[in-house]
Amino acid sequence: MSDALVWWLTVELLGFIGLPIAFVLFKRLPDRGYAFGKVLSVLLVSFLVWLSASLHVLPNSRWAIVLVAALIAWASVIVFIRRRGEIVAALRNNIRPIVVTEVIFLLAFVLWAVVRAYNPEIIFTEKPMDFAFINGIMRSDYFPPLDPWLSGATLNNYYFGHMIMATLTKLTGVPAATAFNLSLALIFSLAAIGAFSIVYNLVKMSRGGDIAAVACGVVAAGFLLVLGNLEGVLEMLYAHGYGGEGFWAWIDIDGLDVAYYSDHWYPTQFWWWWHATRMIQTIVGDVCLDYTIAEFPNFTFILGDLHAHLLSLPFVLLSVAICLNIVATKVSLGLGWLRRNILPFVLMIVCLGALGPIHTWDLPVYVFLFIGAIMVQTRLRGGGAGWWKRWLPLTGMALAGVFLLYLPFYLNMDNPISGILPWVGPNSRWLYLLITWGLFLFVAVSFLLFRIRGGVRSISWRRAAWVCLPVLLLWAVWAIVMAATGGGASVWAKLGHLLPLLILLALALFLIVRRATAASGRERSVLFALLLFLTAVLLIVGCELFYIRDVFGNRMNTVFRFYFQAWVLFALASPFAVYYLQRKWRVSSIGARLGKLGWWVLLLVLVASSLTY
């Protein structure tokens, strides 16, 4: 209990120290990024300690951590003195979201600390390895950290997330084994307030009320951390003997093949909750042709591995908030803006670039989102022929910065990736895609169709055709590689398999291009939601066309890592989309009212089914 209190108070203190910096960095968001003060401070302290230890300037020690925290506090005091009126006014005007943020943070932290208290063992799956990483880092005076298994060697993995938790462990003096479980509680609570803040700001940017914004923010935290996929419904049916042998043979999910009857209302089969993340696979005889992992946050927190993809979650949300702040910026971006905002820009790149050494798979996803946000904003602030002259320099400097600021990590990393290859097959069954993404795809399709329905007559079909080209280019590149290598897969069968998702991509891209030059202030939140949906669907499509070849030689890790981020993006965009539909969907006839009622019923059924897990 005392260790948990010390851990929580330390993070609260760091958040307070970094609050002025967060208020300046997120000055275009309605709540000024209050929720991200904690994760931003933790990141800055860890980054400066890591960089100092990597350059052998300061050792990885407790006094160095305290020194760095004091320097950040000093910088924050200077920022506060210079912008005292602005910061005080922001605090006064955002009392409600600040109170709600702190309540969510405390409740989420206590909830998951209690969950881990009932299951604290650091055994099974990846927990021993993650614990070894933290202990190896804590025992390293300088970086790269010592390999916990091989004396004299250094750790060859993305370790920065573990280093952040090791930094907090050193700072608080909490035993490492206890800190392992408190780290899980901290990530859970930071992710909860991060999701809350992003969707709260989206609703406020669209001129929604405080109550609606708070409600949608809370729903976003639930969508991210509480919902599971629809496989939980199948587990309930299977546990009570519903469905014949033919039905379950058609479902063909590993683990739902040996009949049993639960003595309780819930499934009791050993590790039944594991099946939901191992659906997408093709088994012929006893041979698995396509073993994949499709984790989502609820599963990952229950499993309790302090793995890199989970450690990155709060920092991923921090990067999304930075992208939202860019879209919300009302001044023209470009070299002139950069000269006036060099320190905030560097801070953005520190946050975005941290994803590389935390979990390298996430970096390209959020660099894409970051570049997309800059592109949308530069189009919003003047879509003339020269808009790319403002977009291109910022993009180039961002790409250079995310690597240069973390260069010591990349110089000491032996990359196990051996290339990006086309995925020949088998294709993921649409049944499994719908079980995994059914709720989110329903919301995304509804949102996109609603956005386009009112202006069908005014559509420039020439522009629509041009928008389809980059979408088809994904499939075309895959088809060309197939033809060149004689891969043996049918290019037209692949196109037919992906056609629904490609149409969804084309719709999202068309709406972004169409509105990016004429959007009002409230439309910026719609554009950002479209960008989130576009990126999420793009990840799913990408996993059907290509895979990143690693030591496993298959697409297991590709699906594992990118599906997790698709879940994050969907979970953020969907609550705002539902709010937007509820607010804008006007009906007059009886038939239209019945249609809207049916839509709401189906949505609630899908949410309830996702909660079953």
Side-chain angles (χ1 to χ4, degrees):
M1 182 67 179
S2 60
D3 289 335
L5 182 62
V6 168
W7 192 271
W8 175 77
L9 286 173
T10 300
V11 174
E12 285 285 359
L13 177 60
L14 289 174
F16 177 76
I17 288 173
L19 197 56
I21 299 175
F23 273 26
V24 171
L25 181 61
F26 296 105
K27 62 182 178 181
R28 296 300 175 185
L29 298 186
D31 73 351
R32 301 296 294 268
Y34 176 85
F36 294 99
K38 297 176 178 59
V39 65
L40 179 62
S41 297
V42 170
L43 173 59
L44 289 178
V45 170
S46 302
F47 169 72
L48 292 176
V49 170
W50 169 82
L51 187 62
S52 299
S54 297
L55 299 177
H56 288 233
V57 175
L58 291 175
N60 175 35
S61 62
R62 192 176 191 182
W63 69 263
I65 297 169
V66 172
L67 175 61
V68 167
L71 290 174
I72 293 174
W74 174 69
S76 290
V77 169
I78 294 175
V79 171
F80 179 79
I81 291 172
R82 291 182 176 180
R83 304 195 180 205
R84 179 173 54 189
E86 177 187 343
I87 293 173
V88 171
L91 287 169
R92 187 183 299 117
N93 295 333
N94 288 283
I95 291 177
R96 178 175 290 173
I98 288 173
V99 171
V100 175
T101 297
E102 290 299 340
V103 169
I104 292 174
F105 180 71
L106 177 60
L107 292 179
F109 182 81
V110 171
L111 169 65
W112 217 254
V114 170
V115 169
R116 294 307 304 168
Y118 279 95
N119 186 29
E121 296 85 4
I122 307 175
I123 55 176
F124 302 127
T125 59
E126 306 285 5
K127 296 181 191 66
M129 183 191 75
D130 294 320
F131 191 42
F133 280 9
I134 290 176
N135 280 298
I137 292 167
M138 290 184 66
R139 286 163 172 77
S140 302
D141 292 329
Y142 298 99
F143 296 133
L146 300 173
D147 189 308
W149 294 282
L150 187 61
S151 179
T154 57
L155 191 60
N156 185 45
N157 206 307
Y158 25 69
Y159 62 82
F160 191 53
H162 298 88
M163 183 266 168
I164 293 172
M165 296 304 142
T167 299
L168 286 174
T169 305
K170 276 181 174 285
L171 182 61
T172 58
V174 171
T178 304
F180 182 96
N181 289 298
L182 291 177
S183 296
L184 290 165
L186 177 62
I187 296 163
F188 187 86
S189 53
L190 288 175
I193 60 174
F196 166 81
S197 178
I198 290 168
V199 177
Y200 173 89
N201 284 300
L202 282 172
V203 174
K204 291 296 290 183
M205 285 168 59
S206 66
R207 300 185 186 176
D210 281 352
I211 294 177
V214 167
C216 290
V218 171
V219 170
F223 272 29
L224 178 64
L225 300 172
V226 179
L227 287 189
N229 61 36
L230 300 176
E231 198 270 346
V233 174
L234 296 176
E235 294 288 349
M236 293 289 287
L237 295 175
Y238 190 75
H240 296 286
Y242 294 104
E245 290 185 7
F247 173 78
W248 293 111
W250 175 70
I251 292 293
D252 195 25
I253 293 177
D254 189 25
L256 301 185
D257 49 8
V258 179
Y260 84 103
Y261 290 89
S262 174
D263 295 330
H264 303 278
W265 64 267
Y266 51 84
T268 54
Q269 189 181 27
F270 179 70
W271 274 30
W272 65 266
W273 50 277
W274 186 269
H275 306 153
T277 62
R278 303 308 194 270
M279 290 184 298
I280 303 176
Q281 53 184 311
T282 301
I283 301 175
V284 177
D286 294 327
V287 179
C288 181
L289 303 179
D290 180 28
Y291 177 78
T292 67
I293 300 172
E295 286 193 19
F296 44 90
N298 183 287
F299 169 91
T300 309
F301 278 107
I302 290 172
L303 183 64
D305 289 353
L306 199 59
H307 222 36
H309 68 291
L310 184 65
L311 285 163
S312 72
L313 190 52
F315 307 96
V316 157
L317 296 172
L318 177 63
S319 297
V320 174
I322 288 172
C323 295
L324 178 57
N325 187 70
I326 290 172
V327 172
T329 300
K330 296 180 181 179
V331 298
S332 295
L333 298 182
L335 293 179
W337 172 88
L338 182 61
R339 284 191 293 269
R340 297 188 303 271
N341 296 273
I342 185 66
L343 290 179
F345 184 77
V346 171
L347 199 54
M348 292 181 200
I349 302 307
V350 168
C351 297
L352 182 65
L355 297 179
I358 293 176
H359 185 226
T360 310
W361 296 78
D362 296 344
L363 185 61
V365 177
Y366 294 96
V367 165
F368 174 85
L369 190 68
F370 184 79
I371 293 172
I374 295 177
M375 183 181 293
V376 167
Q377 201 281 339
T378 50
R379 292 282 289 176
L380 283 169
R381 294 303 305 172
W387 68 271
W388 60 271
K389 294 179 181 179
R390 292 180 283 120
W391 168 75
L392 197 58
L394 291 179
T395 298
M397 282 183 278
L399 288 174
V402 295
F403 292 105
L404 290 177
L405 289 175
Y406 292 91
L407 192 59
F409 168 78
Y410 295 106
L411 290 177
N412 291 285
M413 179 72 172
D414 184 12
N415 194 346
I417 301 300
S418 56
I420 300 175
L421 299 178
W423 176 246
V424 177
N427 297 325
S428 303
R429 285 180 65 189
W430 262 99
L431 171 66
Y432 298 151
L433 292 176
L434 290 175
I435 292 173
T436 303
W437 303 113
L439 168 62
F440 295 136
L441 287 178
F442 174 74
V443 174
V445 170
S446 302
F447 182 63
L448 293 173
L449 292 179
F450 182 84
R451 284 292 303 172
I452 205 168
R453 91 201 196 300
V456 173
R457 294 180 181 178
S458 62
I459 289 176
S460 169
W461 295 106
R462 179 179 295 180
R463 177 181 288 182
W466 278 107
V467 165
C468 289
L469 288 180
V471 172
L472 287 174
L473 184 62
L474 295 168
W475 165 79
V477 170
W478 177 89
I480 292 170
V481 175
M482 281 291 97
T485 59
S490 170
V491 295
W492 300 112
K494 178 71 79 171
L495 179 62
H497 172 68
L498 291 177
L499 193 58
L501 293 174
L502 293 177
I503 292 173
L504 203 58
L505 275 179
L507 268 176
L509 184 58
F510 175 77
L511 287 168
I512 291 172
V513 171
R514 185 184 184 191
R515 299 302 300 171
T517 56
S520 62
R522 70 174 65 188
E523 288 286 295
R524 292 170 186 262
S525 55
V526 174
L527 280 169
F528 193 73
L530 288 169
L531 189 58
L532 294 179
F533 277 134
L534 174 77
T535 309
V537 177
L538 187 61
L539 289 174
I540 300 172
V541 171
C543 290
E544 295 299 308
L545 291 172
F546 302 97
Y547 73 101
I548 297 176
R549 184 179 177 87
D550 55 13
V551 294
F552 297 102
N554 57 31
R555 69 167 184 159
M556 178 190 72
N557 257 331
T558 304
V559 173
F560 174 18
R561 313 295 175 166
F562 291 144
Y563 267 38
F564 195 85
Q565 296 312 316
W567 187 284
V568 172
L569 298 169
F570 272 135
L572 297 175
S574 296
F576 172 78
V578 172
Y579 161 78
Y580 183 87
L581 289 168
Q582 185 275 331
R583 184 177 179 182
K584 297 289 186 178
W585 193 351
R586 299 286 183 262
V587 294
S588 54
S589 66
I590 294 177
R593 289 177 182 175
L594 289 175
K596 184 177 180 180
L597 177 62
W599 184 89
W600 276 105
V601 169
L602 183 53
L603 175 66
L604 292 176
V605 168
L606 287 170
V607 171
S609 300
S610 299
L611 283 169
T612 303
Y613 183 82

